[in-house]
Amino acid sequence: MTADKKGAQANASAPATHARDPATPAARADWLREEIERHNYQYYVLDAPSIPDAEYDALFRELQDIEAAHPELLTPESPTQRVGGQPVSAFAAVRHRVPMLSLGNGFTDEDVVAFDRRCAQGLGRAAPAQTQAPDLFSAAEAVEYACELKFDGLAMSLRYENGRLVQAATRGDGETGEDVTANVRTIKAVPLKLKGRAPEVIEVRGEVFMYRREFDKLNARQAEAGEKTFVNPRNAAAGSLRQLDPRLTARRPLSFFAYGLGELQGVDRPATHADLLEGLAAYGFPVCAERAVVRGAQGLLDFHRAVGAKRDRLPYDIDGVVYKVNALADQERLGFVSRAPRFALAHKFPAQEMTTVVEDIEVQVGRTGAITPVARLAPVFVGGVTVTNATLHNEDEIRRKDVHIGDTVIVRRAGDVIPEVVAVVPERRPADARAFVMPVACPVCGSHIERLEDEAIARCTGGLICAAQRKQSLLHFAQRRAMDIEGLGEKVVDQLVEQGIVRTPADLYKLGVAKLAALDRMADKSAANLVAAIEASRETTLNRFIFALGIRHVGEATAKDLARHFGKLDNLMAADEAALLEVNDVGPVVAQSIANFLAEPHNVEVVEQLRAAGVHWPESEPAARAPAPLAGKTFVLTGTLPTLSREEAKEKLEALGAKVAGSVSKKTDYVVAGEEAGSKLDKALALGVPVLDEAAMLALLRESAG
């Protein structure tokens, strides 16, 4: 395979010639196609975009306009044709001219050593003695291998004739696959026309996959639209590629890596597999950079361990690595056994997904009070360890995945990531399976569990007394911007809590030098300094004290607004949600959080203990304030706004007293819709709720603010 690599690489990296403006529509269209595909290559293959999205979009629209005005100029290779054609009723069968064979699998170091010995013996480079160690082979005897990643996607064969993509087929049973040409043409990483001097025929083998970041975005969009989410990137890639409507595939973020050849006519095959990959890259195919050429079994094992160490940091999923004898002539000599090549081996990593049974669902309380449901599992070996627990994230996730106690589930573990339940196997649900019910009281301290509107996480409201939150609440209480207790750091707090000396912030004011000096690495002088800092903190300000309580959503600025508005702590303690909403920059979520915190008797008790311990501040009369102009109005945000993030829009609305809800109902006053607005917009239209765009919302805010 003798593609002009230097020429192709030079073309790929050449600067854009935007000044060039051919006079005829045909010439301009040709230039635009070349320019757009060059930028596609920079973005989707090299991951190095060279122009802003807006400039790319302008080039694309110009080409669309020319082709619409001059239909005779439209070509199948035009980048405008990647959007997908008409749906098909079924995929046609494609018989592979060169079979797409499976690889033999290896799971242990011994499997790799045995593979290397078989290759060396098959090439006449090693004695057949079973006791001969691979590291005893001489340098001349050691077999050279090309090492690559084993992607967790969908195998694909791409056929090009005279440089143009004419057919794409799935692996199928290895002999016969399915024709998915229309769908593959929508994948921007797949060249429609090859660079340089192309062969008469070339079948490129590779993997269609989805980057993890794109998979996460896709699932977020699916969930927002109320549609089915995917279990993993491979599942998403396979489902996307087998859509009967190519226009649906075009909206899925699929990618491609080339790694081999099928049929080849018109040029000589390269000498080595490594050269083959370089040639494919020169033709314009994305080829994974995570590859190496090594010698002998030790080189193979070193590559496997190096990749394993960074597997979880890779931007895509892999389930192993692949070893191939590098010299293609040696590959032919070794040949095949059954339906697998003798010259290649897939060295698999431990499975990251397995099935097991949910024996129970309990909740854990985090350092910030977050209540996390946890599945107690029948032990299962996954990702290299035995797993008995897996996170279920939150109540909404349990409902979305429809997880019941007793279900058989798919559990995923990647590296050090906490194992999670990714899907239920519904056909295995037993008759006595039970739905999970979120508790209403914290299992640690008995305080009420709250879940604020528009939040997915439920939380314990016993922030000042909950043992699970004790360390976090004490560190927050003591920080410089709160009570400013210098010397009360993490190591000291750990000992105070673990030894049962301090349970609540009020207990800090009972500490003496002798008790503190008894702690590890706490000398008499350090203990005396800490006692002095605690003593000095008794005199503070109301806004610092409010901030020190650690009420969720109450930062320094909100604490100042609360202190200014109410003037006295008793006024704040007596306020209901309606009164809290009158405070500057306090919206419904913040008001509800404060009200829930102050409604918890344990928290009120600690506040009184702190006051009894002598913590004090100057107080004043409440500040007069006009009612919020949008008080009592409910808004719902959906889609992507042109200039504001959803959080920014929410802050602007709440600043004028509006409530921002997460769902549309008859009580909703306005829905603010941006691009890709989903089911919320549909419901608003069905209910007759007024719909605003960003400009109309901003105009309403200006009018309301006067």
Side-chain angles (χ1 to χ4, degrees):
M1 191 164 60
T2 57
D4 186 356
K5 298 180 189 177
K6 292 184 179 179
Q9 291 168 350
N11 289 337
S13 59
T17 54
H18 301 294
R20 178 182 172 187
D21 190 7
T24 67
R28 181 66 177 172
D30 285 344
W31 178 79
L32 285 167
R33 291 186 192 109
E34 181 181 329
E35 190 75 350
I36 291 168
E37 288 295 10
R38 185 172 71 82
H39 290 305
N40 280 343
Y41 180 78
Q42 290 285 118
Y43 187 96
Y44 293 100
V45 179
L46 301 183
D47 196 21
S50 53
I51 59 172
D53 289 348
E55 189 172 340
Y56 176 92
D57 292 342
L59 293 172
F60 198 89
R61 283 195 299 270
E62 183 184 354
L63 179 58
Q64 285 179 313
D65 291 344
I66 292 175
E67 291 176 343
H70 303 276
E72 73 278 5
L73 299 181
L74 186 61
T75 67
E77 292 76 34
S78 174
T80 62
Q81 299 308 292
R82 289 187 185 273
V83 296
Q86 294 301 310
V88 297
S89 58
F91 297 113
V94 174
R95 187 164 184 83
H96 299 300
R97 291 168 176 81
V98 176
M100 296 182 69
L101 301 180
S102 302
L103 297 179
N105 290 327
F107 297 94
T108 66
D109 290 1
E110 290 74 17
D111 292 338
V112 175
V113 171
F115 164 71
D116 177 52
R117 178 173 285 111
R118 289 195 301 272
C119 290
Q121 291 172 356
L123 296 172
R125 301 184 189 179
Q130 295 298 312
T131 57
Q132 183 176 354
D135 57 358
L136 297 180
F137 295 169
S138 69
E141 291 175 332
V143 178
E144 185 176 79
Y145 298 96
C147 301
E148 307 165 76
L149 306 186
K150 187 176 185 300
F151 305 104
D152 200 7
L154 197 69
M156 187 61 51
S157 179
L158 307 178
R159 182 178 178 85
Y160 291 80
E161 295 178 359
N162 298 314
R164 285 173 167 77
L165 177 64
V166 296
Q167 190 176 70
T170 61
R171 180 183 177 278
D173 62 5
E175 298 286 345
T176 303
E178 292 179 314
D179 188 334
V180 289
T181 309
N183 290 350
V184 168
R185 290 177 67 87
T186 70
I187 304 174
K188 293 181 180 178
V190 172
L192 301 178
K193 182 181 178 182
L194 301 184
K195 295 176 179 292
R197 194 163 50 250
E200 294 173 18
V201 174
I202 182 172
E203 283 185 358
V204 177
R205 304 287 167 79
E207 198 91 358
V208 173
F209 68 99
M210 196 175 288
Y211 282 98
R212 289 172 183 163
R213 63 176 183 270
E214 300 297 340
F215 169 74
D216 292 339
K217 292 178 184 176
L218 173 63
N219 260 355
R221 290 196 300 270
Q222 295 285 107
E224 172 74 17
E227 298 177 6
K228 176 186 175 182
T229 56
F230 297 95
V231 173
N232 52 44
R234 185 188 188 284
N235 171 262
S240 300
L241 199 62
R242 301 196 74 259
Q243 293 290 328
L244 295 177
D245 186 347
R247 291 169 297 187
L248 295 177
T249 306
R251 295 200 288 268
R252 301 285 175 80
L254 297 174
S255 293
F256 178 78
F257 274 138
Y259 54 62
L261 282 182
E263 185 179 8
L264 183 65
Q265 297 180 22
V267 296
D268 295 332
R269 286 183 179 263
T272 67
H273 184 76
D275 290 340
L276 182 155
L277 296 180
E278 293 292 337
L280 292 178
Y283 283 138
F285 290 98
V287 177
C288 182
E290 298 287 344
R291 60 185 194 271
V293 174
V294 305
R295 284 189 176 274
Q298 191 58 54
L300 299 177
L301 294 173
D302 289 345
F303 180 80
H304 182 267
R305 287 166 188 149
V307 171
K310 59 184 176 183
R311 179 187 183 188
D312 301 318
R313 300 193 301 274
L314 294 174
Y316 37 71
D317 282 354
I318 62 172
D319 55 6
V321 297
V322 175
Y323 312 132
K324 297 174 184 173
V325 172
N326 195 28
L328 267 59
D330 286 345
Q331 290 186 9
E332 291 184 9
R333 288 181 60 190
L334 289 168
F336 301 84
V337 54
S338 184
R339 296 173 58 84
R342 287 192 177 93
F343 56 80
L345 181 75
H347 190 178
K348 304 291 286 290
F349 289 120
Q352 292 185 302
E353 291 184 354
M354 294 293 288
T355 57
T356 186
V357 174
V358 177
E359 297 182 335
D360 200 359
I361 298 177
E362 301 174 356
V363 297
Q364 291 181 343
V365 187
R367 287 168 61 92
T368 62
I371 304 293
T372 304
V374 176
R376 304 303 183 194
L377 307 171
V380 60
F381 192 75
V382 55
V385 300
T386 299
V387 170
T388 56
N389 303 311
T391 181
L392 290 165
H393 297 293
N394 55 60
E395 189 176 13
D396 285 350
E397 278 291 282
I398 293 177
R399 302 288 173 255
R400 184 178 67 81
K401 294 174 181 175
D402 192 29
V403 181
H404 285 51
I405 298 167
D407 274 345
T408 295
V409 294
I410 300 170
V411 178
R412 178 177 176 83
R413 179 186 181 273
D416 295 329
V417 177
I418 298 171
E420 66 171 335
V421 171
V422 295
V424 170
V425 184
E427 59 270 23
R428 298 190 191 178
R429 173 168 291 168
D432 60 349
R434 294 179 287 118
F436 168 74
V437 178
M438 177 67 79
V440 296
C442 173
V444 175
C445 70
S447 299
H448 176 67
I449 290 177
E450 69 172 3
R451 181 180 172 187
L452 300 182
E453 191 169 356
D454 296 340
E455 286 198 357
I457 303 295
R459 296 180 187 276
C460 166
T461 57
L464 295 180
I465 61 98
C466 183
Q469 303 173 67
R470 194 166 289 160
K471 293 179 183 179
Q472 186 70 25
S473 65
L474 287 170
L475 289 169
H476 177 82
F477 183 85
Q479 68 168 284
R480 182 176 57 81
R481 295 173 297 169
M483 301 301 287
D484 193 19
I485 304 177
E486 186 175 354
L488 191 63
E490 192 168 339
K491 292 182 179 178
V492 175
V493 167
D494 284 347
Q495 294 184 70
L496 291 173
V497 171
E498 289 165 9
Q499 294 180 31
I501 299 171
V502 171
R503 294 181 63 256
T504 75
D507 293 336
L508 294 172
Y509 295 93
K510 303 174 185 176
L511 295 174
V513 173
K515 184 161 288 188
L516 287 170
L519 301 177
D520 288 344
R521 299 183 181 180
M522 180 67 80
D524 288 345
K525 184 174 181 180
S526 299
N529 288 341
L530 179 51
V531 169
I534 294 172
E535 182 64 29
S537 74
R538 294 180 198 267
E539 184 174 344
T540 186
T541 62
L542 180 55
N543 59 282
R544 278 179 172 268
F545 182 79
I546 294 171
F547 176 59
L549 295 178
I551 304 171
R552 184 158 177 79
H553 296 302
V554 176
E556 289 179 88
T558 302
K560 289 178 181 177
D561 287 334
L562 291 167
R564 189 181 304 114
H565 182 90
F566 290 104
K568 300 178 181 180
L569 181 62
D570 288 339
N571 293 338
L572 172 60
M573 301 279 283
D576 57 14
E577 284 190 49
L580 290 166
L581 284 171
E582 295 178 5
V583 180
N584 181 48
D585 283 346
V586 172
V589 171
V590 180
Q592 185 183 355
S593 180
I594 298 169
N596 288 346
F597 181 91
L598 296 176
E600 182 57 56
H602 298 302
N603 292 333
V604 175
E605 182 181 350
V606 174
V607 169
E608 294 305 322
Q609 289 173 357
L610 286 165
R611 295 170 90 175
V615 179
H616 62 280
W617 49 83
E619 293 193 327
S620 61
E621 291 303 315
R625 184 174 183 268
L630 291 180
K633 299 293 184 183
T634 300
F635 288 71
V636 172
L637 302 170
T638 182
T640 303
L641 301 179
T643 66
L644 296 174
S645 69
R646 190 171 296 189
E647 189 59 35
E648 289 169 337
K650 181 179 178 182
E651 288 175 359
K652 289 181 179 293
L653 290 164
E654 290 182 343
L656 295 183
K659 175 182 178 181
V660 180
S663 58
V664 179
S665 70
K666 292 180 180 179
K667 296 181 179 180
T668 304
D669 293 290
Y670 297 98
V671 167
V672 181
E675 290 186 11
E676 299 185 10
S679 57
K680 294 176 184 177
L681 176 59
D682 296 335
K683 188 170 183 180
L685 295 173
L687 293 175
V689 175
V691 177
L692 308 176
D693 59 12
E694 181 186 289
M697 181 196 76
L698 292 174
L700 177 62
L701 290 174
R702 287 192 296 269
E703 180 183 342
S704 301

